[in-house]
Amino acid sequence: MDSLIGFLNGLATAVTPEYLLAAFLGAVLGTLVGVLPGIGPVAGAALILPLTFAYDPAFGIIMIAGIYLGAQYGGSTTSVLLNIPGDTSAIVATFDGHQMAKKGRAGPALTIMAIGSFIASTIGLVLLITSASTFAKFALEFGPAEFFAITAGGLILLSRIAGGSLASGLLPMILGVAMATVGREAATSFSRFTFGNLDLQLGLNIATVAVGLYGISELIAMLENKHRDAKPMRIGFRDLAPSKEEWRRSVPPWIRGSFIGFLFGLLPISAATMSTFTSYRVEKAVSKHRAELGTGAVEGIAGPEAANNSAAISAMIPVLILGIPFSATLALMISAMIAQGIQPGPLILTQRPDLFWSVIAAIVVANVMLLALNLPLVGVWVKVLQIPRHILIPAIILIAVIGSFSVQYNMIDVYLILVVGLLGYILKKLEFSLASLLVGLVLGPLIEKYFMQSMFISRGDISYFVSTPITLVVWGIVGLALLLGILWPLIGKRLMRRSETMRELASLKMDDAE
Amino acid sequence: MSDSQPHRLPDAAGPSPVPAEGAEADVTPDQAPPDGGDRGKILFRVDQLRLARIIFGIVSLGVSIAYLVGALGMPQGTGAQPGPGMWPSAVGAAWVIISLVVIAEAAFTRQVSGSLDLPVGIYARDVIVFSVATVAYVLLLPILGQYAAGSLYCVALVKFLSRLPWWRAILYGLLLAISISWIFLNLLQVHLPEGIVPQLLGF
């Protein structure tokens, strides 16, 4: 009941002109960065993040949330029209979405995805509103040891899952954590790794690092992309309507995808991407039309798209209630909150319920706006795809430089973009996970804080870190994930060798028989 | 959402797993010299990506050792009263270990393997133009100020990333740079370096 009243109060705040504008700007910019291939949601959010610092906390956070959701909507448009996903969470949309487009059903595919996204976000929001207080009460029981386990353990798990091989996730993660130690230490003001440079005292700014890491490396990827001159097909408003059969077939995958996505959003994994693949597999297993999947089946876009958007909503729970982001865009949202003087965590619901509920309500508003923006304006988004890169690239760099400089009015942030951009490019080429670095940079100071608190409380007793059931469970899972990461290649190699030997034996027997 | 995982599609952007021309290709048993080493027994199968990761791992190891030495030079405190150097020391030690994991993984396993997808031809030219122009813009920014440096940057990129004639490149570049700079500097009141040259000229 408290949640409902809180939400209604939040809704009243969210529909004030100022916050409506924030949600609208966020939704438009988010769809824009989602639609543009090469400019992902992280780069987009990072470009805009510094500019939000000029406004009040709710305005900035609502804008970032709008970008986050808008990018989920927009990212799949290029998957369908060009077979190029705007983001990793839109990869699955290429499987059947582009096949539908090839059959002349691009319009209905986009409609099913937009409506599915709206339904999934709404289901996700209802689940979030009903469960937020419970999660917050549960989180109130947490002490430094639990928070250390969740932040450090969650980061290791994320890097393990998001990064491919063991080292691909762990190296960027530790780079991010190490970069977070640059600047004045919080408790003693001791300068660390500043090399006497006063400009580095405040540490490395996350928005700057994100722009360099994602923005520069994605722009270079855009220049390297051999499909950069691909032209999208034209779609008119009249081409958008799905058939009765397509509507009917979309409903069950929408609902299944919404629940799958919600569950995934709560976990310390790349929720939006992994939920889309899981939803696709589920559809392949349970759908009546599973044989058609991969050839342009409606189920192949309805389920994953719903999962993707529902995960985007439920991923807000660990962000707002635990203060822990499990994706790069959400890491930016946390940094926006911290920059605005708000410490996300279990106390946010009791200390700043107005902010919490106005953000949630604004997401509802942004959701409605996104539906209104995406369908009627599909022709506009297709036109956006046609902006030549010789206009797009300098414009993005100019905005990135202005945005980064405006954070601290310091040229060091601008130079940092170039250095981190080079690092991001190398990491990307060598197939390391960039998300682990950014989340590591955001979580690094939090992990250190909980580490220091735990050491103070326990008087240096290391066993304090595994003194409660929650910590034991978290570290158990982390240990298992790391162990599997080390053992799996060896097991896989042995299994492969065994199957090769069996095959050779079988072929020898065949030869003998002949 | 994993925002950075490199993704490859069969039909869209993405490199072929086949080593590029001129790349250091894998040595397979039947390609090995008949008299080579242990009767052609393959000890390492190092392809482009693995070699690059070994080199990156070695660089990372060097930096991590320097970081660890720096961290150990800070006040460590005690277990009950940790100092500002304790956490970076732990991070540095973990970084050293992870760097070794990167090297070992690339050298002894085929977890990450393939060719390096480096740009060639016109794509390489565009990347170089972009990189040089961007570095020049950032270096010129404090000297020329946003309007002049931004305009030069936009004109250069519009010209070299397109086939437009000079007059149109100059027109588009100037329009782009001046409109973006005006929106942020004058409309949104974001401050940027004014530039030494404009100040000297009295602008």
Side-chain angles (χ1 to χ4, degrees):
Chain A
M1 197 62 191
D2 285 350
S3 297
L4 190 65
I5 294 167
F7 174 71
L8 290 174
N9 284 334
L11 201 60
T13 315
V15 292
T16 53
E18 190 190 2
Y19 295 145
L20 274 177
L21 179 70
F24 175 75
L25 285 176
V28 172
L29 290 169
T31 311
L32 194 69
V33 296
V35 166
L36 289 171
I39 303 299
V42 189
L47 281 168
I48 291 147
L49 181 67
L51 306 171
T52 64
F53 294 159
Y55 305 99
D56 78 67
F59 190 97
I61 294 160
I62 288 167
M63 238 175 116
I64 300 279
I67 291 167
Y68 176 55
L69 291 177
Q72 306 296 329
Y73 269 75
S76 306
T77 306
T78 50
S79 296
V80 172
L81 300 179
L82 292 174
N83 200 29
I84 300 171
D87 183 38
T88 46
S89 59
I91 291 173
V92 173
T94 59
F95 300 166
D96 283 273
H98 191 64
Q99 292 299 325
M100 280 182 79
K102 277 183 173 173
K103 291 178 185 171
R105 305 296 294 160
L110 291 174
T111 305
I112 287 164
M113 283 158 62
I115 305 266
S117 301
F118 178 75
I119 291 172
S121 305
T122 310
I123 292 175
L125 277 166
V126 171
L127 292 171
L128 189 149
I129 290 163
T130 48
S131 59
S133 309
T134 316
F135 280 113
K137 273 179 200 152
F138 178 63
L140 277 172
E141 306 289 320
F142 286 13
E146 283 84 1
F147 274 116
F148 180 78
I150 287 180
T151 47
L155 181 61
I156 294 169
L157 269 185
L158 174 80
S159 66
R160 181 66 207 95
I161 293 164
S165 73
L166 183 68
S168 301
L170 287 182
L171 185 76
M173 176 206 79
I174 202 71
L175 274 176
V177 175
M179 283 162 83
T181 60
V182 174
R184 265 203 307 262
E185 197 257 340
T188 58
S189 289
F190 185 89
S191 291
R192 300 187 299 200
F193 306 109
T194 56
F195 310 106
N197 189 329
L198 286 176
D199 295 336
L200 285 174
Q201 293 280 343
L202 291 174
L204 305 182
N205 188 280
I206 184 174
T208 305
V209 173
V211 166
L213 203 62
Y214 282 86
I216 301 279
S217 62
E218 284 181 12
L219 288 181
I220 297 177
M222 195 195 279
L223 287 169
E224 289 180 1
N225 185 2
K226 294 172 182 69
H227 296 254
R228 63 193 191 185
D229 297 322
K231 289 276 180 280
M233 55 198 75
R234 283 171 169 271
I235 297 175
F237 189 63
R238 285 179 191 165
D239 308 324
L240 290 170
S243 66
K244 256 188 187 171
E245 170 74 1
E246 285 168 334
W247 279 121
R248 198 182 53 74
R249 282 173 57 176
S250 302
V251 177
W254 279 342
I255 294 168
R256 280 193 289 265
S258 300
F259 282 94
I260 290 169
F262 191 85
L263 282 177
F264 271 74
L266 299 172
L267 305 174
I269 53 173
S270 316
T273 305
M274 291 189 68
S275 67
T276 55
F277 280 96
T278 308
S279 168
Y280 194 79
R281 280 198 188 159
V282 168
E283 291 310 317
K284 266 199 144 172
V286 304
S287 171
K288 279 181 191 169
H289 305 91
R290 52 181 169 266
E292 291 173 36
L293 261 87
T295 62
V298 171
E299 290 81 359
I301 50 162
E305 198 60 17
N308 173 10
N309 282 271
S310 186
I313 298 288
S314 60
M316 292 285 192
I317 292 178
V319 170
L320 291 172
I321 292 175
L322 293 174
I324 302 167
F326 292 126
S327 80
T329 323
L330 292 172
L332 287 173
M333 198 182 291
I334 292 271
S335 82
M337 293 172 99
I338 293 170
Q340 298 273 18
I342 299 157
Q343 184 62 55
L347 294 177
I348 195 169
L349 250 176
T350 46
Q351 287 179 348
R352 293 295 308 269
D354 53 323
L355 182 83
F356 178 87
W357 289 115
S358 57
V359 170
I360 299 296
I363 292 171
V364 177
V365 176
N367 220 13
V368 178
M369 281 181 180
L370 280 165
L371 188 66
L373 275 173
N374 270 267
L375 284 182
L377 297 181
V378 69
V380 176
W381 301 123
V382 170
K383 282 231 159 55
V384 166
L385 277 169
Q386 294 166 328
I387 296 177
R389 64 202 171 87
H390 58 262
I391 300 290
L392 201 60
I393 291 173
I396 289 169
I397 289 290
L398 250 57
I399 296 170
V401 167
I402 294 171
S404 295
F405 185 83
S406 72
V407 177
Q408 298 174 62
Y409 296 113
N410 204 327
M411 273 307 284
I412 200 147
D413 282 315
V414 181
Y415 301 137
L416 197 63
I417 289 180
L418 298 185
V419 176
V420 179
L422 179 67
L423 176 68
Y425 181 71
I426 294 170
L427 288 175
K428 214 171 176 177
K429 283 287 169 201
L430 300 185
E431 299 188 4
F432 286 101
S433 154
L434 298 187
S436 304
L437 195 157
L438 204 58
V439 179
L441 182 65
V442 173
L443 286 185
L446 289 176
I447 297 171
E448 181 178 3
K449 185 177 88 176
Y450 298 131
F451 171 78
M452 299 293 257
Q453 284 177 352
S454 301
M455 293 297 275
F456 277 119
I457 291 171
S458 67
R459 296 185 168 273
D461 181 8
I462 301 287
S463 67
Y464 176 74
F465 288 100
V466 284
S467 57
T468 63
I470 294 170
T471 53
L472 278 171
V473 169
V474 173
W475 287 119
I477 294 169
V478 172
L480 200 68
L482 284 178
L483 206 65
L484 274 176
I486 296 165
L487 294 180
W488 189 246
L490 302 174
I491 298 167
K493 214 181 217 176
R494 186 160 287 184
L495 283 175
M496 205 183 278
R497 248 186 236 156
R498 187 181 286 177
S499 71
E500 271 174 19
T501 318
M502 296 286 276
R503 223 179 292 147
E504 276 170 21
L505 279 173
S507 68
L508 278 174
K509 273 182 189 169
M510 293 255 294
D511 289 347
D512 288 348
E514 278 171 18
Chain B
M1 153 184 64
S2 150
D3 319 71
S4 67
Q5 182 79 319
H7 46 272
R8 293 174 173 183
L9 294 177
D11 204 0
S16 151
V18 180
E21 208 176 315
E24 189 184 332
D26 276 356
V27 182
T28 56
D30 42 355
Q31 287 172 317
D35 57 340
D38 190 8
R39 285 188 176 272
K41 188 180 174 187
I42 304 304
L43 293 175
F44 293 103
R45 286 162 61 95
V46 180
D47 53 38
Q48 273 190 330
L49 187 58
R50 289 169 68 195
L51 189 64
R53 282 175 71 118
I54 290 172
I55 295 167
F56 189 74
I58 292 168
V59 173
S60 169
L61 183 66
V63 179
S64 64
I65 290 169
Y67 176 93
L68 182 60
V69 170
L72 289 171
M74 295 172 191
Q76 298 294 313
T78 61
Q81 294 279 325
M86 187 179 276
W87 175 248
S89 300
V91 172
W95 189 357
V96 170
I97 295 166
I98 291 170
S99 299
L100 291 171
V101 172
V102 172
I103 298 167
E105 189 184 80
F108 302 113
T109 76
R110 295 190 64 83
Q111 285 267 292
V112 182
S113 175
S115 60
L116 264 183
D117 180 30
L118 293 173
V120 286
I122 187 169
Y123 304 106
R125 191 208 72 143
D126 286 355
V127 172
I128 292 166
V129 164
F130 167 77
S131 307
V132 171
T134 307
V135 171
Y137 163 53
V138 167
L139 293 177
L140 286 174
L141 185 61
I143 301 164
L144 298 179
Q146 169 61 18
Y147 277 102
S151 299
L152 282 174
Y153 178 67
C154 287
V155 170
L157 279 198
V158 172
K159 175 63 196 163
F160 292 113
L161 295 184
S162 73
R163 288 178 192 161
L164 294 174
W166 269 107
W167 72 268
R168 279 178 72 187
I170 291 170
L171 182 70
Y172 291 171
L174 286 177
L175 273 175
L176 194 65
I178 291 169
S179 56
I180 291 176
S181 304
W182 185 82
I183 289 169
F184 283 97
L185 272 60
N186 299 72
L187 202 66
L188 298 174
Q189 298 291 313
V190 174
H191 296 284
L192 267 178
E194 288 171 4
I196 300 162
V197 175
Q199 277 179 344
L200 287 174
L201 295 174
F203 286 110

